[in-house]
Amino acid sequence: METKIYLDEGNIPRNWYNILPDLPKPLPPPVDPKTREPVKPEALMALFARELVRQEVSGERWIPIPEEIRERYALWRPTPMYRAFRLERALKTPARIYYKYEGVSPPGSHKPNTAVAQAYFNMKEGISRLTTETGAGQWGSALAFGCMLFGLKSTIYMVKVSYYQKPYRKVLMELWGGEVYPSPSEKTNFGREFLKKNPETPGSLGIAISEAIEDAVTHEDAKYSLGSVLNHVLMHQTVIGLEAKEQLKMVDDYPDYIIGCIGGGSSFSGLFWPFYYDVVTKKAPKEVKFRAVEATAAPSVTKGVYMYDHGDTARMTPLLKMHTLGHDFVPDPIHAGGLRYHGMAPTLCLLASENKVETIAYNQVEVFKAAHLFAKSEGHISAPEPAHAIKAVIDEALRCKETGEEKTILFLLCGHGHFDMKAYEDYLAGKLPPYEYPEERVKQSIEKLRALYPWITKM
Ligand SMILES: *Cc1c(COP(=O)(O)O)cnc(C)c1O
């Protein structure tokens, strides 16, 4: 009856798992809206390191993890897995609940799994600085950390309203050597122009992406870096699932349900892809259900449309085939900043549209209530994003209680909530609104997208 299931350093995976060759259909490629043709990988190399673009389109199932990266991973990997005995008892469920915990990394989430890898491959190609955007600061702090480990500089455009409201993640980025600017900033043409017209703007992720891209393409020594959505980013996260499989082996168990939250889809993919590999290669000892959980305030897959759309508001990125709420989506201010995105990883969307992955959405009131029960039973304070997964786990465990099924549930606690006390304070004070994004606004955004590109529906 072990509560913690540990692996030692020698068990840090030696390869990442790439799902592309195992998808039920070929992944629709990114498309240039001007030519309506697939974007050539070479074109992406203006933005990203060559090796990362190679990984993005690779058909290889296993991609070796360089020793230099495994050595950095050893600062916090392998991460622990826990059996949630106390939560099981609180729920009086016959289900066995396990969680893999990524909150032990220095930035406090799964995001350094890819930040460290991206910094390494850029360093190898002679790049000396990475640029990126960040909303609440999870991704920015992970990238600053990753760059520090390989002697790179980092420039982070942080959405202005978060820069002033959430100063502590900014301090974290600065401690690790990151240069942080409130976006829109005076650093870029796009930022200066935008500020001239809208001096009082709170900023947005779309604007910050545009600034980070401009900075990278106008400086020889710099490249751009993304924290979710793209294939190579999700692949770097598979160290999570590969370790989890070994850990469950140690207690002779295998999941019936694998549950995680989805904002761009990287952490959940990192957990479930290695188990999906078992399913497609017929190695899985039983049927496994993959369940992705989103916020009702940003219900990309549950309420969005599966079609080509831009990844950013300013329409600077290629078109990606994904479930989208429309690129002009403006989210309600829910506390789960990592889930406030209009799109989703194209691989996850393909799997959802083929019914290989189930999706469900919860509002933040029920989600924080679940995180509160989790804190009272397991002790760990969940980040607001994986609290969505906790809600889904509790619901499934309660269903098992009704039917008496002894199912095994595995979920990802992808980050701690130590920087999110304002959210918990609002929850305790009963001040959280249960936001639901209206269907009508999705319709309007999709109509606008179709008017902009009348040919898009057929793609
Ligand atoms: C960024 C973030 C997310 C959302 O991104 P995914 O790519 O879906 O994982 C979720 N949880 C935490 C803690 C995050 O930092």
Side-chain angles (χ1 to χ4, degrees), residues 108-111 137-139 169 227-229 233-234 237 261-269 293 336-340 344-345 383-387 412-416 420:
S109 77
H110 64 285
K111 287 204 170 81
Q138 288 272 22
W139 169 239
R169 283 233 172 242
S228 187
V229 178
V233 179
L234 275 54
Q237 296 296 348
C261 67
I262 49 168
S266 73
S267 53
F268 179 57
S269 297
V293 191
L339 305 188
R340 285 195 308 231
M344 191 56 64
E385 294 88 354
L412 183 62
L413 187 57
C414 58
H416 67 62
D420 301 283

Side-chain angles (χ1 to χ4, degrees), residues 129-435:
R129 184 169 66 93
L130 288 178
T131 72
T132 200
E133 70 286 338
T134 197
Q138 288 272 22
W139 169 239
S141 53
L143 192 71
F145 169 75
C147 284
M148 175 198 65
L149 292 182
F150 288 108
L152 271 69
K153 292 189 189 129
S154 55
T155 308
I156 296 136
Y157 294 89
M158 185 170 187
V159 176
K160 192 158 119 192
V161 56
S162 301
Y163 181 94
Y164 292 109
Q165 278 177 3
K166 306 197 168 177
Y168 297 136
R169 283 233 172 242
K170 181 192 81 182
V171 176
L172 199 54
M173 292 179 234
E174 289 174 343
L175 281 174
W176 285 324
E179 249 181 49
V180 190
Y181 297 100
S183 167
S185 76
E186 294 287 344
K187 286 281 290 178
T188 64
N189 279 327
F190 185 83
R192 281 188 296 272
E193 291 289 310
F194 202 94
L195 273 178
K196 228 188 276 166
K197 283 183 229 138
N198 318 275
E200 303 299 325
T201 177
S204 75
L205 215 45
I207 298 164
I209 294 176
S210 308
E211 288 205 279
I213 292 181
E214 181 188 320
D215 185 346
V217 297
T218 53
H219 294 91
E220 259 314 290
D221 64 327
K223 293 270 186 205
Y224 172 65
S225 178
L226 205 59
S228 187
V229 178
L230 297 181
N231 304 336
H232 69 271
V233 179
L234 275 54
M235 185 190 76
H236 296 154
Q237 296 296 348
T238 56
V239 289
I240 301 171
L242 291 164
E243 286 176 11
K245 232 157 67 167
E246 289 305 312
Q247 285 163 311
L248 283 180
K249 228 183 259 169
M250 288 167 71
V251 291
D252 199 21
D253 212 337
Y254 200 89
D256 296 277
Y257 294 93
I258 298 185
I259 298 176
C261 67
I262 49 168
S266 73
S267 53
F268 179 57
S269 297
L271 178 68
F272 90 87
W273 282 11
F275 293 91
Y276 173 87
Y277 168 75
D278 283 358
V279 172
V280 289
T281 55
K282 311 237 180 324
K283 289 187 183 116
K286 48 168 115 152
E287 200 190 316
V288 194
K289 284 208 163 82
F290 305 116
R291 187 168 296 160
V293 191
E294 49 187 20
T296 53
S300 311
V301 187
T302 48
K303 277 196 185 165
V305 180
Y306 186 44
M307 67 186 290
Y308 271 100
D309 193 6
H310 288 283
D312 69 317
T313 316
R315 304 204 304 265
M316 291 182 79
T317 73
L319 297 166
L320 299 170
K321 180 114 181 212
M322 60 185 176
H323 288 86
T324 179
L325 299 166
H327 59 261
D328 60 347
F329 170 69
V330 181
D332 286 314
I334 55 164
H335 285 288
L339 305 188
R340 285 195 308 231
Y341 184 60
H342 69 274
M344 191 56 64
T347 47
L348 189 89
C349 296
L350 177 73
L351 289 166
S353 74
E354 296 288 313
N355 297 317
K356 306 287 184 199
V357 171
E358 305 171 1
T359 50
I360 185 168
Y362 292 109
N363 75 56
Q364 62 175 356
V365 178
E366 50 193 351
V367 159
F368 273 88
K369 195 168 165 227
H372 191 196
L373 174 63
F374 188 74
K376 284 188 288 186
S377 47
E378 292 294 311
H380 288 123
I381 308 297
S382 170
E385 294 88 354
H388 289 71
I390 295 173
K391 168 64 179 158
V393 167
I394 291 175
D395 279 4
E396 190 55 46
L398 291 175
R399 197 195 57 79
C400 288
K401 176 165 133 183
E402 268 175 33
T403 59
E405 288 171 88
E406 291 179 26
K407 298 286 189 190
T408 300
I409 303 171
L410 168 64
F411 80 96
L412 183 62
L413 187 57
C414 58
H416 67 62
H418 299 175
F419 287 96
D420 301 283
M421 287 306 142
K422 179 75 182 100
Y424 281 97
E425 182 182 45
D426 287 352
Y427 157 74
L428 287 174
K431 285 200 275 192
L432 288 181
Y435 294 117

